[in-house]
Amino acid sequence: MAQEKGSGELVRALDWKGAFWVAAGVPPLVLFSIGGIAGVAGKAAFVVWMISMVMGFLQSFTYAEMAGMFGNKSGGASVYGATAWLRYSKLIAPLSVWCNWFAWSPVLSLGCAIAAGYILNALFPIPAADSQVVLDWMAANAGKTAEDAVAALTPALRNWEAFSIGIPGLGNLHFNSTFVIGVILMLIIFAIQHKGIASTAKSQKVMALIVLIPLLLVGLVPILTGAIDSMNVTNIVPPTAAYSGEDGAWDIGGWTLFLGAMYIAAWSTYGFETAVCYTAEFKDPRTDTFRAIFYSGLLCIVFFFMIPFAFQGVLGTSGMLAPGIVDGTGIGEALGGMVGGGRVVTQIFVILMILALFLAIMTAMAGSSRTLYQGSRDGWLPRYLGHVNEHGAPTSAMWTDLGFNVFLLALASDATGYFYVLAISNVGYITFNFLNLNAGWIHRIDSGHMERPWKAPTLLIGVNTCLAFVNALFLGAGAKVWGYSNALISGAIFAALILPVFWFRHYVQDGGKFPKEAYEDLGLAEGELGERKAGILPYVALIAGVCVVLWANWFFQLPE
């Protein structure tokens, strides 16, 4: 792997601390769906975050071991795990990489949609129905209602939409003010990352310190000052129905809602595995790899435990269901209120929220683009994605990420599309996690000859294999919880799009052979995939996983 800029390959310019700061965009992901999960899980919401975070931390040890085996690869856990499946099916390996990418990549569009909402609220606010400006308008327009006043005083830009396009089975693409601002934000982030991973890490460190310290205080202040209302965090039960705000019971419907919350929470809490996306850019991958993911995991434990607990303890279920909390655009104001700040403090938190979104988006673009890059180098994705610029940044992959997210931004530019994108993309993320956690034990059997700078306890590899099937349960039961009965099917269809992509690369561009380096990474002769020492067990795991998904989808039903 290249050591210098201008070599046409990734550059080893990062240590574990740099990767830690790049991955520091994961904790703010809690703010993406904290309201949605509260609506689905009710009083059990903060428990969902805690359980999910513990699962993510345990699973990371499997990923850490696999990442250490491939010190010359980038792209993250999906790439390292995909190599385990290569002996058993040429299709499973690229499926793992593809699913990870289309799960992570939407952070760009979803984050930019929320950030655009903040910017619009700050520059072109919609007046509250009880505000003085509304009362004055009503006084000047006798016989008119507050609703009439709000409609008349709402800035035209808030309702502006150039046009929209309906896509059957998917939704509507909205080309509105949110879309335009979101695209501008994406281009700014692209420009920062164009200068390479070292420059990205420095920018992330500055933003992380600015964002995470105040966010930590928001979690601590209510706990230390006694502002937590015990009634909000006791009698832990799911709601009677999604967003009902009323206490339900632990029946089939209640468990379905709980599992649906676990399904979406995984998208955020497992995300710190992105810390090992940069193995090929580590100065010393033997030591940097484990440290990067371990300390990133500890950071996430603090935030994913504390922030949801503090939010729920202060705001309660009804407060968590406020429209601004559910769609993310009112979280900055809520943060200011939780620390007892006035208008100035609240505005500061609004600015911090925009920076927090930038932090998460930077993390997503850095990781997902390298997944595409390595997929190209390993012969799974089109060749053009393997290009890097003079700074060692995978710009072709970054442009692809950008184009894909411009499309998703149009889909997520209204409130209904936001969670639809999230629910579909998470089908890919849970699929990737299932394949990768099983890849841990497959590598132990088939690639025992490969050096492992850090080796996870065998018991933990076994526990994580069990968690793979728990994730399959979340997928089957939870994908339909978010208001889209076809989310599981839509996600599966999108996952299947890798088949023609891989066919083109492998059989058209490469003549049915993988690149030489793909074999060398496994310590095998060119053209030889080695003995399938695990026998039929990987196939048994796949069939069992599908059965769990189908059974969970049939058994768990939403409350009537």
Side-chain angles (χ1 to χ4, degrees), residues 247-477:
D247 290 349
W250 289 106
D251 52 16
I252 296 297
W255 275 107
T256 301
L257 292 173
F258 182 82
L259 294 175
M262 292 293 297
Y263 168 72
I264 287 294
W267 185 77
S268 301
T269 55
Y270 299 178
F272 68 94
E273 45 86 12
T274 191
V276 293
C277 273
Y278 318 100
T279 308
E281 295 163 278
F282 282 146
K283 296 175 182 177
D284 185 0
R286 292 178 56 86
T287 59
D288 289 336
T289 301
F290 175 74
R291 291 177 180 175
I293 195 169
F294 178 74
Y295 288 110
S296 295
L298 292 180
L299 177 71
C300 287
I301 285 175
V302 172
F303 283 91
F304 284 107
F305 272 50
M306 188 179 300
I307 298 302
F309 179 78
F311 257 79
Q312 186 170 325
V314 173
L315 300 178
T317 303
S318 59
M320 296 288 283
L321 296 182
I325 303 297
V326 174
D327 66 19
T329 59
I331 289 179
E333 184 176 351
L335 292 172
M338 288 171 62
V339 296
R343 181 174 178 81
V344 174
V345 173
T346 298
Q347 289 303 312
I348 291 174
F349 271 104
V350 169
I351 295 172
L352 289 176
M353 266 301 300
I354 296 175
L355 288 177
L357 293 167
F358 261 72
L359 194 64
I361 297 164
M362 290 270 285
T363 296
M365 178 174 276
S368 60
S369 62
R370 281 156 179 81
T371 299
L372 292 179
Y373 164 84
Q374 192 63 52
S376 173
R377 294 294 295 265
D378 286 343
W380 300 325
L381 301 176
R383 286 180 181 173
Y384 84 94
L385 294 169
H387 171 76
V388 301
N389 68 2
E390 68 275 12
H391 302 292
T395 46
S396 292
M398 289 165 60
W399 277 114
T400 301
D401 247 352
L402 186 68
F404 175 63
N405 276 278
V406 167
F407 171 81
L408 289 185
L409 181 62
L411 186 62
S413 289
D414 72 329
T416 58
Y418 177 86
F419 277 106
Y420 185 52
V421 171
L422 189 55
I424 290 178
S425 67
N426 206 40
V427 172
Y429 198 53
I430 298 298
T431 301
F432 141 73
N433 273 281
F434 176 84
L435 294 173
N436 253 45
L437 292 173
N438 279 289
W441 62 264
I442 296 175
H443 267 313
R444 284 284 184 97
I445 296 173
D446 284 337
S447 302
H449 62 285
M450 295 183 64
E451 181 184 5
R452 290 165 169 78
W454 185 85
K455 190 173 183 179
T458 301
L459 177 62
L460 197 50
I461 294 292
V463 169
N464 288 339
T465 302
C466 295
L467 292 182
F469 292 92
V470 175
N471 282 314
L473 181 72
F474 296 161
L475 176 58

Side-chain angles (χ1 to χ4, degrees), residues 150 235 280 284 429 496 526 554:
V150 171
N235 188 29
D284 185 0
Y429 198 53
E526 186 174 359
W554 166 78

